[in-house]
Amino acid sequence: MADWAPIAKEYDPLKAGSIDGTDEEPHDRAIWRAMLARYVPNKGVTGDPHLTLFVARLNLQTTEEKLKEVFSRYGDIRKIRLVRDLVTGFSKGYAFIEYKEERALLKAHRDANRLVIDQHEIFVDFELERTLKGWIPRRLGGGFGGKKESGQLRFGGRDRPFRKPINLPNVKNDFYGEGSSEKRNWSREGTRDWRTRDRDQERSRNKRWGERERSWAWGDSERERDSREERSRGRDRKDRDRKDRDRDRSREREPKKQRDDDKYR
């Protein structure tokens, strides 16, 4: 790992598909497609590739004039090429800017990245198509960057550099006592610490369980009490209804009794 670097010095689709550049098998079909691709840079592109910047994530309404206004502050510009759709003529959201001097190129590369232009945060990098050996564009499964939602992230570029690999020893063998006696230098104090920690965790777990049981029991008593109150209210309503019916019946009987008394007088 002595030659490890966060930025790829040569494009390898298999390494670009790995977060640390150490994968040995491709994890998505696009990497297979990139590995089988035979890409040749566009010979119709002119200009010095070592003085050209790649600018992406542009607002589709951003024009060449706007780009010249922003990037000319870093130095003299030789040419701006805003890539457009051949059919519609609309911007594709990225451009190439060639400077006259390397000093201006480096300054723009350092300061213009993540600059906001027309409400869009842009991405700036060196041109890679003609400068990075083995380059495969995104449309063929290569490139750098990408979105998590696509499941096809590419690492080794400025946007997503490689993460440094973690070289761990064979922890499992040492843990289970399969390593050499020199490595198994556990102390009894450490063992007691583990036991104490486990005991504390067990007590905490039992305490939480007891609190849950109490909360559940309290919830059951609450429900039972509510049910009893509801039943009591229902009985009271029935008693009131029965009394009202009895009262109405008594009122109906009184006029009938009065008529019978008048009949026999």
Side-chain angles (χ1 to χ4, degrees), residues 17 20 32 47-48 93-94 103 148 195 239 243-244:
D20 56 5
W32 280 111
D48 189 345
Y94 64 96
R103 181 175 58 183
K148 292 182 179 179
R195 292 174 180 173
D239 292 340
K243 290 179 181 179
D244 293 340

Side-chain angles (χ1 to χ4, degrees), residues 198-210:
D198 294 341
R199 188 164 54 251
D200 293 341
Q201 291 177 351
E202 184 67 24
R203 289 174 180 173
S204 177
R205 190 182 302 111
N206 293 336
K207 182 179 178 181
R208 291 195 301 270
W209 184 257

Side-chain angles (χ1 to χ4, degrees), residues 57-62 66 114-122:
R57 301 172 190 169
L58 293 170
N59 189 322
L60 299 183
Q61 305 302 321
T62 300
K66 183 65 176 181
R114 296 186 177 180
L115 194 68
V116 177
I117 301 177
D118 293 336
Q119 294 79 47
H120 276 227
E121 186 179 274
I122 66 172

Side-chain angles (χ1 to χ4, degrees), residues 9-194:
K9 299 177 182 178
E10 181 177 340
Y11 193 82
D12 184 344
L14 182 59
K15 292 183 178 180
S18 170
I19 193 171
D20 56 5
T22 59
D23 281 5
E24 297 181 356
E25 293 290 337
H27 61 78
D28 63 63
R29 295 181 180 180
I31 295 178
W32 280 111
R33 191 166 72 252
M35 293 171 64
L36 298 175
R38 295 292 180 267
Y39 178 71
V40 178
N42 186 358
K43 296 181 179 180
V45 177
T46 60
D48 189 345
H50 299 285
L51 294 178
T52 303
L53 279 183
F54 170 69
V55 183
R57 301 172 190 169
L58 293 170
N59 189 322
L60 299 183
Q61 305 302 321
T62 300
T63 63
E64 289 88 344
E65 290 75 17
K66 183 65 176 181
L67 290 175
K68 185 175 181 180
E69 176 186 348
V70 174
F71 283 89
S72 60
R73 70 183 67 170
Y74 304 108
D76 295 334
I77 296 176
R78 179 171 292 160
K79 185 174 63 174
I80 295 178
R81 181 167 63 92
L82 179 63
V83 180
R84 297 179 178 274
D85 187 275
L86 294 177
V87 178
T88 64
F90 294 150
S91 169
K92 288 189 174 183
Y94 64 96
F96 295 91
I97 301 177
E98 183 184 358
Y99 282 95
K100 293 182 179 180
E101 297 179 353
E102 185 179 7
R103 181 175 58 183
L105 174 82
L106 298 177
K107 187 176 181 181
H109 181 268
R110 183 188 66 230
D111 298 338
N113 190 39
R114 296 186 177 180
L115 194 68
V116 177
I117 301 177
D118 293 336
Q119 294 79 47
H120 276 227
E121 186 179 274
I122 66 172
F123 171 71
V124 176
D125 198 0
F126 298 120
E127 181 191 340
L128 300 176
E129 181 181 12
R130 296 179 292 169
T131 59
L132 187 63
K133 184 179 179 181
W135 173 253
I136 303 294
R138 187 69 181 178
R139 67 177 183 272
L140 297 179
F144 286 130
K147 296 182 179 181
K148 292 182 179 179
E149 295 79 6
S150 67
Q152 298 179 1
L153 295 177
R154 299 293 180 264
F155 300 88
R158 186 180 193 184
D159 190 28
R160 293 185 182 276
F162 289 128
R163 294 186 183 180
K164 192 170 184 179
I166 302 175
N167 297 324
L168 294 177
N170 195 348
V171 179
K172 181 177 180 180
N173 290 345
D174 293 341
F175 183 81
Y176 287 100
E178 298 176 3
S180 63
S181 59
E182 297 178 357
K183 293 182 180 180
R184 298 195 303 269
N185 56 354
W186 299 344
S187 64
R188 293 187 177 181
E189 294 180 359
T191 305
R192 284 199 298 272
D193 291 341
W194 294 347

Side-chain angles (χ1 to χ4, degrees), residues 206-221:
N206 293 336
K207 182 179 178 181
R208 291 195 301 270
W209 184 257
E211 292 176 353
R212 291 180 181 179
E213 288 182 340
R214 286 195 297 273
S215 65
W216 293 339
W218 180 85
D220 292 341
S221 62

